[in-house]
Amino acid sequence: MKYDLIALDMDGTLCNDEKVIPQENIDAIIEMQKAGKTVAVVTGRPESGILPFIKDLRLEEFGGYVVSYNGGRIYNVKEDKILYNCPFPKDFLPEVFRIVGDSSITVTSPLDKKIVAGNSLNDYSYTESRIVGLPFEFVDDFVNIDVSMNKLLLVDDPTVISKYLPVLQKEFEPKLHVFLSEPFFIEITPANVNKGQGLHALAEITGIPVSKMIAMGDSYNDIEMLREAGLGVAMKNCKEGVEKY
């Protein structure tokens, strides 16, 4: 089958361990676009967290897309326009804080220009801020924060995260989507928001069927798009079990 769109995860797929896209990857993606393929970067990051990479990949020139917040938002790079957005329902915030309030977990939400955080600070709290290059702002009253957000990111030592993951899943699934993206990250998104669903939303926008998409990823939050795409490719360095999908 001919594939017309290539959906690429960012961290661990496009980027190496130093959070840099190797030049050979950049060259290959540019050649794909020159050959008429559409490229979409599908990431848990906000668009603002990957702007330098978009420039290197020349997505603006060729008309590529960013599917950000693990499928919660779609950005047309050439038009500099948000085409799809699914905000996080903030009515759930009090219940999230009730469950993790006595823990060392940092509750964060990446926004367009900063990362807001609350509850507590730990050795992992600033991880996302360092990854995406956005400033970190701790707020005392996160539950009543007056901003629109797309997801929550709960951050702590993997031993703490593994304890709270099943508790949060039992409480919120299927009202929300609760999943592990890294051993130290629990992500909470609106119901049915995931990278696989993001591909279907992208299909509606581009007219390219999901069956004609290739998806490449390495981590747990890539599983849905690897399942949904016409061809799912798990990277050699993928997390244990991801290759089964």
Side-chain angles (χ1 to χ4, degrees), residues 65-83:
Y65 297 85
V66 176
V67 182
S68 58
Y69 297 108
N70 283 313
R73 202 152 81 173
I74 296 178
Y75 171 65
N76 182 311
V77 181
K78 189 171 187 177
E79 296 180 3
D80 187 26
K81 188 176 181 180
I82 302 296
L83 303 180

Side-chain angles (χ1 to χ4, degrees), residues 2-18:
K2 177 184 176 183
Y3 297 100
D4 296 323
L5 186 147
I6 298 90
L8 299 160
D9 167 56
M10 193 76 192
D11 299 293
T13 301
L14 274 178
C15 293
N16 57 24
D17 291 341
E18 286 72 45

Side-chain angles (χ1 to χ4, degrees), residues 20-213:
V20 173
I21 304 179
Q23 188 61 47
E24 60 183 347
N25 289 0
I26 294 173
D27 293 342
I29 291 164
I30 291 172
E31 286 304 310
M32 290 177 194
Q33 294 175 104
K34 286 181 177 179
K37 307 300 181 184
T38 300
V39 170
V41 177
V42 187
T43 177
R45 301 188 188 195
E47 305 91 55
S48 54
I50 64 168
L51 289 178
F53 302 102
I54 291 172
K55 185 175 181 180
D56 289 343
L57 298 175
R58 294 166 62 182
L59 295 190
E60 180 178 4
E61 176 183 345
F62 290 103
Y65 297 85
V66 176
V67 182
S68 58
Y69 297 108
N70 283 313
R73 202 152 81 173
I74 296 178
Y75 171 65
N76 182 311
V77 181
K78 189 171 187 177
E79 296 180 3
D80 187 26
K81 188 176 181 180
I82 302 296
L83 303 180
Y84 171 86
N85 185 51
C86 187
F88 183 84
K90 293 196 292 183
D91 290 349
F92 287 100
L93 286 178
E95 192 65 12
V96 171
F97 275 78
R98 181 188 66 80
I99 293 171
V100 305
D102 293 331
S103 75
S104 56
I105 289 175
T106 306
V107 180
T108 76
S109 184
L111 308 178
D112 290 335
K113 295 183 179 180
K114 63 182 177 181
I115 292 174
V116 291
N119 194 60
S120 186
L121 290 173
N122 58 65
D123 291 342
Y124 291 79
S125 299
Y126 294 87
T127 303
E128 180 75 351
S129 177
R130 289 192 292 265
I131 289 173
V132 302
L134 292 176
F136 182 96
E137 179 183 334
F138 191 89
V139 294
D140 292 327
D141 191 11
F142 191 103
V143 170
N144 295 309
I145 190 169
D146 187 22
V147 295
S148 177
M149 56 185 68
N150 285 81
K151 71 173 186 176
L152 297 182
L153 187 63
L154 278 57
V155 193
D156 207 338
D157 184 273
T159 58
V160 178
I161 290 299
S162 63
K163 173 185 173 183
Y164 278 88
L165 177 63
V167 176
L168 292 162
Q169 288 176 325
K170 182 178 180 180
E171 179 68 29
F172 294 116
E173 294 278 4
K175 296 174 289 185
L176 298 173
H177 185 38
V178 183
F179 59 97
L180 197 71
S181 58
E182 294 288 348
F184 42 82
F185 284 160
I186 294 174
E187 305 214 17
I188 308 179
T189 63
N192 301 318
V193 167
N194 57 64
K195 290 187 178 185
Q197 180 273 339
L199 293 190
H200 284 281
L202 190 60
E204 290 288 327
I205 290 168
T206 63
I208 300 172
V210 175
S211 61
K212 291 191 174 182
M213 296 182 183

